[in-house]
DNA sequence: CACCTGGATAACACGAGGTTATAGAGTGGG
DNA sequence: CCCACTCTATAACCTCGTGTTATCCAGGTG
């Protein structure tokens, strides 16, 4: 029944002391103010301004409206400003969820970029493997997820296609990590079948699945002697000669171990790293900015590690 | 840019958790909510709700609006209620100004009536003669004035006609007050000329003017030996045989002095008592109620004192 | 796999709220 | 004392915000 426009008019009249003055201060024409007052009066069923001679004065009811107008309009402006701040990247929050090993370089560099460009955006970060991160995205506990998929596999379940929007960040080459003194460490490439008799160290469940898949293609079943999700530990185990392991390039870039040699797989294998969000969240400025920062961070990685290929 | 309707919708969505629910709670159709959100989004340049699957959730910006909506809408409702209270006579203030002798009966009874009917209306009262009271009305310091005019004279200056609205309350008969033992005290009527040699006691400036006017018509110039605005004093002076005086019926009804006799003037003279206000103020419920109470109070007086005449 | 529920979209209607043009009234100066 | 200036009111009109209904489309579910 009573709206912001009406209050604005009442306040302008209170401030200016005349309809004409109010109209000028609002950027309206004088009749606009005149009939706005009339509308308000017939809606509220009370006289709001007292026309005496050629100047106007607010009645008691009019003063009530003018008084409320101050606080209401201030709140309205504040709300508008807060929203504008979010739209203008001067405020905002992004809840990022990424799989553990992405925290090594990709994510930190992206967060740093965001921080540098938009100091008032707060990005909260938590670790999570694709199944959980997508669930969080779905349930609204997360705005942006960094996930990976080995070739041929999906990121999550089938819901990827239409529920989410994913942008590929980079292709992460999977390499074979062997002890530096391994007989085949000098060869540039490695045929997985040559390592059928080795002890294997497996990473996360999905990485282990990938290892099994690749070795099946190579015609053997790997002896998995260790399992750990911590790639630093994997490299440590490898360096001590306790086994060999498939390690993504992204990890090797962040954690180099001098006692470990890495070989390219002969049938190359890579995992695709995606940033996943929803159609709507993608258009939230802070999310968009973070996404772009992730892309740049990924580009920086790609440029450094595969400067010629692709 | 952002208005109450928009906030109302955002809050409803926050409360209900769905567009359809919000629409129901607002009495709208579902598409109305849907496009209101879209409008808000393109105005603010930000996504406000996240459509995930078939349920919606507010984004950070949306939550900001919903949060502000609570306080803004509460203020708006409060403002509306205050105005409604003024319109519904559950609140309000009337600044009444009346000439001194009207305070005797007319005004107190009216105030009592208002108080009884609308206990929450506060009527402030101050004394003032027509020149001042009309000025106060003009300057906005007064809402309702009770003024009087002797026959032939105007209430104020010429401004009465179109600036103010005046409603006649009653005709106040002017009588001649003489000491009870005056030779002519027994006569029902009095010819002013018979009192040409008396000492006269004059009241307020305008009353004195009226006395002069009447006596000129009767062919004499009165000897004015006392002047006082206090009619109690006038009656006291008369009762002590110090002079005669013209006293309005309204005063005599309130302050009867057993030692004073009152005579009707043969060419009857009366003063008209009006309630004066402005066109706009007349429509303010509290003012209207007070005005009506004054009319009733005047009717009560008329009925008691001139039950047959007029 | 089909149904049901909830959101999006299209087409449309109406009224709020703005505009310009003009008339009327109060005030102040020549 | 009147005239001119200014401020408000009114009329006629236009546009667009904001509602409607009808219909479609997608997601979750038995």
């Amino acid at each position: 029944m009573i709206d912001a426009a009406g209050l604005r008019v009442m306040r302008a009249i209170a401030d200016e002391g005349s309809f004409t003055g109010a109209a000028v201060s609002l950027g309206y024409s004088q009749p606009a103010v005149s009939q706005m007052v009339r509308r308000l009066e017939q809606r509220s069923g009370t006289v709001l301004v007292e026309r005496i001679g050629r100047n106007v004065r607010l009645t008691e009811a009019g003063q009530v409206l003018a008084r409320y107008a101050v606080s209401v309009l201030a709140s309205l402006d504040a709300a508008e400003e807060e929203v504008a701040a979010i739209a203008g990247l001067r405020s905002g929050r992004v809840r990022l969820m990424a799989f553990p090993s992405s925290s090594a370089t990709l994510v930190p560099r992206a967060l740093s970029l965001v921080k540098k460009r938009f100091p008032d955006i707060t990005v909260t970060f938590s670790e999570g493997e694709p199944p959980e991160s997508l669930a969080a995205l779905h349930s609204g506990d997360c705005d942006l997820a960094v996930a990976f998929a080995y070739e041929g596999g999906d990121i999550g379940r089938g819901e990827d296609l239409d529920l989410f929007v994913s942008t590929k960040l980079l292709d992460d080459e999977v390499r074979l990590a062997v002890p530096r003194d391994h007989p085949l460490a000098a060869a540039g490439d490695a045929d997985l079948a040559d390592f059928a008799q080795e002890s294997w160290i497996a990473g996360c469940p999905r990485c282990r699945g990938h290892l099994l898949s690749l070795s099946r293609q190579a015609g053997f079943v790997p002896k998995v002697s260790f399992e750990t999700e911590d790639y630093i530990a994997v490299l440590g185990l490898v360096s001590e000669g306790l086994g060999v392991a498939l390690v993504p390039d992204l990890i090797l870039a962040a954690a180099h171990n001098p006692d470990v040699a890495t070989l390219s797989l002969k049938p190359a294998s890579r995992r695709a790293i995606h940033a996943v969000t929803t159609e709507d969240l993608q258009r939230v400025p802070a999310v968009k900015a973070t996404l772009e920062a992730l892309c740049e961070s990924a580009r920086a990685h790609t440029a450094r590690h595969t400067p010629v290929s692709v």
Side-chain angles (χ1 to χ4, degrees), chain A:
Chain A
M1 174 174 170
I2 187 171
D3 62 338
L7 289 185
R8 221 178 300 273
V9 168
M10 290 306 294
R11 187 171 59 97
I13 294 173
D15 289 348
E16 302 290 330
S18 78
F19 283 17
T20 303
V24 170
S25 89
L26 291 171
Y28 288 169
S29 65
Q30 170 265 315
V33 173
S34 197
Q35 34 192 14
M36 174 61 103
V37 170
R38 191 174 37 170
R39 270 194 299 271
L40 287 175
E41 286 185 334
Q42 60 197 29
R43 274 185 219 164
S44 62
T46 314
V47 186
L48 297 177
V49 307
E50 185 185 350
R51 289 87 163 167
I52 186 144
R54 82 172 167 196
N55 39 356
V56 296
R57 192 176 14 254
L58 296 188
T59 64
E60 197 186 0
Q63 287 166 9
V64 165
L65 289 189
R67 179 156 39 80
Y68 274 100
V70 176
S71 69
V72 167
L73 294 176
S75 284
L76 237 41
D77 286 349
E80 205 164 308
E81 163 54 25
E82 269 193 47
V83 171
I86 289 176
L89 290 162
R90 299 190 305 281
S91 167
R93 174 209 61 183
V94 179
R95 293 160 303 174
L96 177 64
M97 210 164 187
F99 58 91
S101 57
S102 72
S103 339
T105 34
L106 194 61
V107 166
R109 189 161 41 208
L111 295 193
S112 154
L113 268 177
V114 172
K115 190 94 202 154
K116 194 176 66 191
R117 289 178 190 160
F118 311 109
D120 301 326
I121 300 287
T122 62
V123 182
T124 68
F125 167 72
S126 60
E127 291 191 334
E129 291 284 337
E132 318 156 42
S133 59
L134 294 191
L137 207 48
H138 187 94
S139 73
D141 296 327
C142 160
D143 301 314
L144 186 57
V146 178
F148 65 90
Y150 285 105
E151 289 175 313
D154 245 347
I155 285 185
R157 297 171 292 271
E159 45 192 355
D160 177 15
L161 289 163
D162 37 8
L163 253 184
F164 299 131
V165 175
S166 72
T167 54
K168 185 184 220 168
L169 293 178
L170 55 82
D171 272 320
D172 193 15
E173 186 91 28
V174 177
R175 305 170 76 89
L176 181 65
V178 300
R180 197 182 44 163
D181 52 5
H182 191 280
L184 295 177
D189 293 349
D191 184 344
L192 217 54
D194 298 339
F195 297 84
Q197 299 311 317
E198 297 280 345
S199 280
W200 284 87
I201 303 161
C204 68
R206 292 170 69 221
C207 308
R208 178 197 172 99
H210 184 235
L211 165 61
L212 295 179
S213 158
L214 283 188
S215 49
R216 178 163 49 249
Q217 282 170 32
F220 71 97
V221 174
K223 255 190 307 173
V224 175
S225 43
F226 294 95
E227 268 182 80
T228 171
E229 304 211 3
D230 181 354
Y231 274 103
I232 305 292
V234 170
L235 294 180
L237 293 169
V238 170
S239 73
E240 294 297 332
L242 295 174
V244 298
L246 292 180
V247 180
D249 217 18
L250 198 60
I251 300 297
L252 297 171
H256 190 254
N257 187 318
D259 295 326
V260 172
T262 59
L263 307 173
S264 300
L265 293 183
K266 206 168 74 184
S269 177
R270 45 180 68 89
R271 59 177 190 175
I273 298 184
H274 287 87
V276 185
T277 182
T278 67
E279 181 85 28
D280 300 311
L281 289 173
Q282 192 182 18
R283 287 161 44 222
V284 171
V287 173
K288 196 170 163 189
T290 307
L291 181 55
E292 281 163 7
L294 278 170
C295 289
E296 286 186 50
S297 175
R299 262 199 303 280
H301 176 85
T302 304
R304 198 173 333 145
H305 291 267
T306 54
V308 274
S309 75
V310 176

